[in-house]
Amino acid sequence: MKDGDENTGAERSLGGLNRRRLLQGTAGTFGAVLASTGVYQLIDTMAKPPDRPTVADTQPGQEQYILQNEQVVMVDGTGVKSSKGTIAVRVPALHDHVITARLNVSANAKALREAQHHLEAALLDVERQFPSTPAGVGTTVAWGLPYFQHYIPTLGRTSGFFKAGTSYPAYLPVDLVTSKSAGSTVYALQEARTFPSDQPPPGFGPVRLEQNDVAVLLRSDSLANIKAASNILFGSGSNQAGDLFKVTSIRQGFSGGGFYGQQGLPSKLALAADIPGAQSIPRQAQGFLGFATTLDSNMGPGIIANLETLPGYTDQWPNGYFKQGTTMHLSHLFQDLVTWYEQNFPQYADRVTAMLQPGLSPAPAPGTLALQPPGQSEAEVARGVERYRSYGHTGSMSEVDSTTSAMTSNYGKAYPSGTTIPVRGDFDTLDNPFHYTSDPVADHYSERPAAGLHFIQFQPTIGLFNLVRLSMDGHYADRTLPVAPRSPHAGINSVLQTTHRQNYLVPPRRHRSFPLAEFLV
């Protein structure tokens, strides 16, 4: 049997897995839930990890969000690596987990400093066992506004960064761009908001704007490595850090698997889980919607997403406490594959128009969609709407998420006009909506697998994320496109159903554990 021609016995068993056994988090011990991986345990039997160096080329930098040793390969129109490939794609880790939590720590200086040392020791233990690469485990610790509001109300010690008495939120990085347009101080980390096209499934209620203290992102080609790292950070042993947290959710998923010619994980897992519309997912597709989502040109290069890299974005250059950090948006969305492949966009050309921009004449469907987006200015998007009464997903955002002129970074790096700024880290999932939730009623947890996306994006400021996300709905600073934001003419919005959102601050590695706790009295 050739790879991908039929599902293996292990894959066929996926649809019959009883997810009640995994999500007895409300009825069983959390340790058992933490150790369970459910449907995702089959990934390591389905996909051969890319051949990557185990050891990182260099020591980990201060940027937590950058995963070392990610490969960039040249793929052809089918999304497969080829000597004749013309499209550069980053090969992401196969497995992605996010664990969110509220803190189980007293809000006083002594308890927080002890927690700071405890968590840092656990993080160092992870790094001693696994390099920060896809072959090891990449670990990113991000902190939500509730942490700063509740645990860091006022800094009691003077430092080279702050004066004693500095209170929340004055110690947070300032978003200079948004502050200028708003006429008042706006910080790089803001509360999450909803957007015009946000619409949960019927009966879900409004989008949940979460209030977690912390989120930990783990990325690896090995599920065993992620499980080991999760146990160190959230287990209950004496040398583990789980007693610091009250876990609110575990979110698991996958990406890729088909860059080297094998059947991709989205196709394999969706078929095995009997997801409606799964039979239409292209064989090698990186994601459920059939697209290469980590095109190198659509990912911010190097450290461009840092708070301090681009002049004029924040106040963290040259010596800010959060220098070499970034912001992170985390959300969950369901993806309606039947509407995408069979109803609104049944032809390959329809999906090209929706994902990229109208007016293109793509070659016949090559399998997966690995096309280089041509890019559009805001004015070109508006003219496209006048002509075609529609706009595309990437086209609507391409000017807003990129440098609008040639820039030289604070580190002396030259970026040409049109350089993408954000770095995506999103991954597909069968969670519905999470693998584990501490509140299954409010989160509308279901045992039935569903096609979804845990969306993650890193950028210098949440203000930039908001602008990019608004442009996806046709809303710009100086105009709103005359297209209903959830219509089939508004990119891919009609097939997405958002359920949860939250924003986080990702400190540099040196301050990743309970940031600012050292300044409390």
Side-chain angles (χ1 to χ4, degrees):
M1 181 188 304
K2 293 183 180 180
D3 175 75
D5 290 346
E6 295 182 31
N7 287 342
T8 66
E11 293 168 54
R12 286 194 300 270
S13 71
L14 181 62
L17 278 176
N18 182 356
R19 294 183 75 227
R20 183 180 287 110
R21 289 181 294 125
L22 339 160
L23 272 161
Q24 290 175 346
T26 54
T29 65
F30 174 71
V33 176
L34 185 65
S36 75
T37 51
V39 299
Y40 307 110
Q41 66 189 330
L42 300 177
I43 292 175
D44 286 349
T45 67
M46 292 179 174
K48 179 182 177 183
D51 185 16
R52 326 190 204 226
T54 301
V55 180
D57 298 332
T58 60
Q59 289 297 312
Q62 286 296 320
E63 289 78 14
Q64 288 195 76
Y65 69 97
I66 294 179
L67 186 61
Q68 295 178 287
N69 284 23
E70 266 193 329
Q71 294 165 304
V72 176
V73 300
M74 302 303 293
V75 302
D76 58 20
T78 69
V80 175
K81 182 182 178 182
S82 169
S83 59
K84 298 180 180 179
T86 59
I87 304 167
V89 176
R90 295 189 195 181
V91 181
L94 293 176
H95 299 276
D96 303 83
H97 288 197
V98 175
I99 301 174
T100 63
R102 302 301 301 267
L103 295 182
N104 186 36
V105 179
S106 298
N108 64 71
K110 181 176 183 296
L112 286 165
R113 285 198 295 271
E114 289 176 353
Q116 187 181 54
H117 294 305
H118 189 176
L119 177 57
E120 182 61 21
L123 289 164
L124 290 173
D125 190 12
V126 172
E127 291 177 345
R128 277 190 293 269
Q129 296 188 40
F130 306 105
S132 299
T133 68
V137 177
T139 305
T140 304
V141 186
W143 298 88
L145 278 173
Y147 164 74
F148 297 105
Q149 291 169 333
H150 182 64
Y151 289 94
I152 314 291
T154 303
L155 305 181
R157 296 182 179 180
T158 296
S159 68
F161 304 107
F162 310 104
K163 294 179 180 179
T166 301
S167 297
Y168 170 86
Y171 50 70
L172 292 174
V174 175
D175 177 345
L176 300 177
V177 176
T178 308
S179 295
K180 182 178 180 180
S181 63
S184 60
T185 300
V186 178
Y187 295 94
L189 178 61
Q190 302 178 40
E191 290 279 9
R193 53 160 292 177
T194 58
F195 298 92
S197 68
D198 278 354
Q199 180 177 297
F204 188 93
V207 174
R208 299 205 72 194
L209 301 179
E210 299 182 276
Q211 293 292 312
N212 295 301
D213 291 318
V214 64
V216 177
L217 167 64
L218 300 170
R219 294 176 280 183
S220 179
D221 288 333
S222 166
L223 188 57
N225 291 1
I226 286 186
K227 289 172 66 175
S230 298
N231 200 42
I232 292 170
L233 298 176
F234 295 97
S236 57
S238 59
N239 294 325
Q240 298 167 338
D243 61 343
L244 301 176
F245 306 107
K246 299 175 183 177
V247 170
T248 55
S249 74
I250 300 175
R251 313 173 193 204
Q252 301 184 356
F254 49 89
S255 183
F259 290 114
Y260 299 92
Q262 306 97 329
Q263 185 177 4
L265 291 173
S267 172
K268 277 190 174 183
L269 288 169
L271 285 169
D274 199 25
I275 300 296
Q279 71 281 357
S280 298
I281 301 171
R283 185 178 181 277
Q284 281 98 11
Q286 182 182 354
F288 284 138
L289 298 188
F291 294 88
T293 61
T294 54
L295 294 173
D296 201 44
S297 62
N298 283 359
M299 301 277 277
I303 60 172
I304 195 171
N306 281 21
L307 291 161
E308 81 290 346
T309 295
L310 295 177
Y313 272 68
T314 76
D315 65 347
Q316 292 300 290
W317 180 266
N319 295 311
Y321 179 87
F322 292 101
K323 176 185 175 183
Q324 297 173 297
T326 190
T327 67
M328 181 180 86
H329 177 80
L330 171 66
S331 53
H332 169 264
L333 308 89
F334 289 114
Q335 299 177 93
D336 186 339
L337 303 187
V338 172
T339 297
W340 176 243
Y341 286 109
E342 300 175 18
Q343 297 177 0
N344 288 359
F345 310 101
Q347 302 299 318
Y348 173 70
D350 300 332
R351 296 192 290 276
V352 171
T353 292
M355 183 59 73
L356 301 183
Q357 66 188 62
L360 300 179
S361 299
T368 189
L369 185 69
L371 296 178
Q372 191 67 53
Q376 288 184 290
S377 67
E378 178 188 328
E380 288 171 332
V381 175
R383 287 196 293 272
V385 169
E386 291 178 359
R387 180 174 180 181
Y388 301 103
R389 301 294 185 265
S390 66
Y391 63 86
H393 175 68
T394 60
S396 68
M397 301 182 292
S398 60
E399 182 176 74
V400 184
D401 72 358
S402 305
T403 57
T404 55
S405 61
M407 297 185 70
T408 300
S409 78
N410 283 318
Y411 294 98
K413 171 71 174 178
Y415 294 113
S417 178
T419 301
T420 302
I421 299 171
V423 176
R424 288 179 59 170
D426 50 278
F427 53 95
D428 280 344
T429 185
L430 295 175
D431 294 349
N432 190 356
F434 305 142
H435 175 73
Y436 163 82
T437 168
S438 62
D439 192 346
V441 175
D443 286 325
H444 293 261
Y445 167 74
S446 172
E447 296 172 3
R448 186 173 183 173
L453 180 75
H454 292 305
F455 183 82
I456 293 175
Q457 185 165 284
F458 304 102
Q459 56 278 306
T461 68
I462 294 301
L464 176 60
F465 171 80
N466 289 342
L467 289 175
V468 174
R469 182 58 187 80
L470 283 167
S471 69
M472 176 176 155
D473 290 346
H475 288 239
Y476 298 93
D478 58 351
R479 76 181 89 196
T480 298
L481 301 179
V483 177
R486 285 200 60 79
S487 81
H489 306 290
I492 64 174
N493 295 348
S494 63
V495 303
L496 304 178
Q497 295 177 316
T498 305
T499 63
H500 296 73
R501 292 192 182 278
Q502 189 174 354
N503 299 322
Y504 295 87
L505 184 61
V506 181
R509 190 177 300 273
R510 60 185 172 272
H511 298 314
R512 62 187 172 178
S513 178
F514 288 81
L516 301 170
E518 66 271 26
F519 300 132
L520 298 177
V521 174

